[in-house]
Amino acid sequence: MSRIELRVNGRNVEVEADGRTLLTHALRDHLRLTGTHIGCDTSQCGSCTVHVDGKAVKSCTILAVQAAGCDILTIEGLASGRELHPMQAAFNDFHGLQCGFCTPGMIMMAIDIVNRHGRPDEATVRAELEGNLCRCTGYHNIIKAVCAGAERMGEMA
Amino acid sequence: MYDLGYSRPATLAKALELLQQDDLAQLVSGGQTLMPVLRARLAAPSQLVDIARLDDLRQICTIGAGIEIGAGMTHAEVAASPVVRAHLPALAALAGGIGDAQIRHRGTIGGSIANNDPAACYPSAVLALGARVQTNLRMLDAEAFFAGMFATALEPGEIVTAVHFPACAVACYLKFRNPASRFALVGVFAARLASDEHRIAIIGGGNGVFRWHEAERHLDRGAGVDGLDTVPLDLANFTGDIHGSADYRRHVAKVITRRALTQMA
Ligand SMILES: Cc1cc2nc3c(=O)[nH]c(=O)nc-3n(C[C@H](O)[C@H](O)[C@H](O)COP(=O)(O)OP(=O)(O)OC[C@H]3O[C@@H](n4cnc5c(N)ncnc54)[C@H](O)[C@@H]3O)c2cc1C
Ligand code: FES
Ligand code: FES
């Protein structure tokens, strides 16, 4: 067991866990931030996507200790109070989800896409979502939601 | 995953010392190959020595007409680097097409070539361009570095620190993705070097990266892309699996080579 110091959604937290603990397990099992999902064991589905130092990564493919000292942002860190982040609101308005399992990862990835591309076109969004799988929607409304969310984030900036 | 220790040494010297003291210690860079391997309990290192943030491994610069890329540079950083885009745009495009955005944010060039997965993209560029691999001990030619699938000339405890790519006239990397895993079924790095010689390096065959020498000679003689169909490509370089037979892979390799050369022209 070791003590792992993390900074999650702006708060400093300590987790007492084995060295082998994946970031995703530290978030879900130790910090009870269960918005970050686990959808595969092959690093392919992207439902575990969080930001580490501002970049989207798969939290099932990084140890918690590797993320020690980094700024971690999860889906729980997006809304301010009851007000949704514009990307969350866009997924709601454009029906970018059905069962919702992939949604936290999709939204974290969508924000990363906007951070790098500003207002991406549809082709860019499709290419950038390569690492996020959805078994329900057929992606069409997810793409619409990401483009709309990008517009709204641009207006607020 | 079996339990393990972890350290993030502040210097390369300290990392080497940790590896020397413990035979079962293993390097981790981006972890985008190693973490899935550990999760599946396919390896059981005593501890991970994390070199991802070492400054010594994190530079991209020009050296003469070529470029040097530190082993710790991520695929995303290589893809976005103005130096790489100006000098070797085909390499920037290759890096930008590895896996997906999340993988590219963490996976590194050093980890990719040290791992030498037969379907990994970078080894094709390293071999085709005649790059040299710098380690803490020595400088290795690409031909001497790669030693068949998942094998390299690296000694236990040896660390790749950088890769030196010489300038080339023009190059193109194309891969044919497995529609499910999105990994390359076959990938081809085609290049015309500064010396005007042609190089064709192929990945995804199953036995590790290799050069298609017959095609290189064909092109060096000035013969056209169309004639490539009749140029022999040894079937022994390919293996079959559920995704495709050896014959199919060889066929795809020829098609992709032709496309890459056509794009280069
Ligand atoms: C879903 C998914 C899709 C992918 N798609 C592709 C793809 O399309 N194309 C592709 O090429 N790759 C792909 N990859 C692999 C990815 O590119 C890895 O990042 C890369 O192969 C390994 O780099 P790393 O830095 O993550 O290495 P790590 O996982 O950290 O290490 C890999 C191995 O190399 C050793 N090592 C690491 N650094 C060094 C060093 N400097 N010196 C000596 N040994 C070292 C480690 O000990 C380990 O054995 C994919 C991976 C995933 C999970
Ligand atoms: S749970 Fe991380 S990629 Fe599927
Ligand atoms: S909404 Fe069900 S997996 Fe995407």
Side-chain angles (χ1 to χ4, degrees):
Chain A
M1 284 287 202
S2 47
R3 224 188 244 310
I4 305 167
E5 290 179 20
L6 298 171
R7 194 158 57 247
V8 182
N9 299 332
R11 274 178 47 227
N12 292 319
V13 289
E14 258 184 26
V15 170
E16 181 102 3
D18 284 346
R20 63 179 156 182
T21 307
L22 296 168
L23 179 58
T24 194
H25 290 134
L27 294 170
R28 289 178 54 82
D29 303 344
H30 295 263
L31 299 170
R32 307 305 296 161
L33 294 172
T34 53
T36 299
H37 291 169
I38 303 170
C40 72
D41 63 1
T42 50
S43 298
Q44 281 176 308
C45 76
S47 66
C48 62
T49 302
V50 302
H51 294 192
V52 172
D53 282 343
K55 291 184 181 133
V57 307
K58 292 176 174 175
S59 63
C60 71
T61 314
I62 173 173
L63 296 173
V65 280
Q66 284 177 287
C70 301
D71 255 313
I72 298 157
L73 181 66
T74 73
I75 191 77
E76 289 89 349
L78 293 185
S80 28
R82 293 199 58 79
E83 196 185 331
L84 292 178
H85 183 281
M87 190 59 79
Q88 290 175 303
F91 268 70
N92 186 5
D93 296 346
F94 287 82
H95 307 287
L97 60 142
Q98 287 178 22
C99 78
F101 195 88
C102 69
T103 314
M106 287 286 178
I107 290 176
M108 296 314 290
M109 192 59 219
I111 293 169
D112 180 272
I113 295 172
V114 176
N115 289 345
R116 284 179 294 120
H117 292 279
R119 293 184 191 187
D121 60 15
E122 184 188 321
T124 305
V125 174
R126 286 186 186 274
E128 289 280 348
L129 285 179
E130 173 95 39
N132 292 75
L133 302 181
C134 175
R135 298 300 298 268
C136 303
T137 62
Y139 299 98
H140 205 64
N141 286 353
I142 292 178
I143 309 297
K144 280 192 203 159
V146 176
C147 291
E151 293 282 327
R152 294 179 189 181
M153 283 173 68
E155 280 157 18
M156 286 178 60
Chain B
M1 188 187 298
Y2 298 109
D3 202 15
L4 38 68
Y6 171 86
S7 56
R8 196 190 294 159
T11 63
L12 193 62
K14 186 75 193 142
L16 287 163
E17 199 183 304
L18 287 166
L19 293 175
Q20 245 156 34
Q21 286 163 359
D22 180 358
D23 284 348
L24 295 176
Q26 188 168 5
L27 291 171
V28 63
S29 183
Q32 301 303 287
T33 291
L34 188 54
M35 237 19 92
V37 165
L38 294 176
R39 278 192 327 234
R41 294 194 164 181
L42 296 174
S46 57
Q47 58 168 317
L48 296 181
V49 177
D50 189 345
I51 53 171
R53 298 189 213 175
L54 288 181
D55 284 342
D56 290 350
L57 309 184
R58 295 199 30 81
Q59 80 295 342
I60 295 181
C61 57
T62 55
I63 292 199
I67 57 175
E68 176 184 298
I69 302 179
M73 296 309 286
T74 65
H75 308 329
E77 287 165 340
V78 172
S81 157
V83 173
V84 183
R85 292 167 79 112
H87 289 78
L88 280 175
L91 189 68
L94 175 152
I98 293 176
D100 52 55
Q102 294 98 314
I103 302 293
R104 292 193 291 272
H105 278 151
R106 291 198 59 79
T108 65
I109 184 169
S112 177
I113 64 165
N115 189 54
N116 195 19
D117 187 313
C121 301
Y122 267 125
S124 67
V126 173
L127 187 61
L129 295 171
R132 291 184 303 161
V133 179
Q134 176 75 60
T135 77
N136 60 300
L137 296 176
R138 54 195 167 145
M139 181 81 105
L140 285 155
D141 286 334
E143 298 276 357
F145 182 81
F146 297 114
M149 63 167 166
F150 294 114
T152 66
L154 291 173
E155 301 286 346
E158 187 171 3
I159 301 182
V160 174
T161 56
V163 187
H164 297 252
F165 291 93
C168 86
V170 53
C172 177
Y173 176 72
L174 283 186
K175 62 177 164 180
F176 187 78
R177 287 167 178 264
N178 174 324
S181 78
R182 312 295 287 154
F183 244 93
L185 206 55
V186 171
V188 173
F189 199 100
R192 187 156 53 77
L193 305 184
S195 61
D196 254 359
E197 284 171 286
H198 289 83
R199 289 287 176 84
I200 309 286
I202 299 176
I203 56 107
N207 299 329
V209 62
F210 65 95
R211 276 171 61 189
W212 184 6
H213 293 285
E214 293 89 342
E216 295 174 356
R217 283 196 290 272
H218 169 90
L219 296 162
D220 287 344
R221 279 198 305 271
V225 171
D226 291 338
L228 267 183
D229 282 347
T230 55
V231 175
L233 174 53
D234 192 351
L235 193 61
N237 289 309
F238 299 89
T239 54
D241 58 18
I242 52 164
H243 304 298
S245 64
D247 254 328
Y248 173 74
R249 281 196 158 81
R250 178 172 66 172
H251 176 72
V252 174
K254 287 195 165 193
V255 172
I256 297 294
T257 303
R258 204 178 329 117
R259 283 187 196 163
L261 289 166
T262 309
Q263 280 198 21
M264 251 168 64

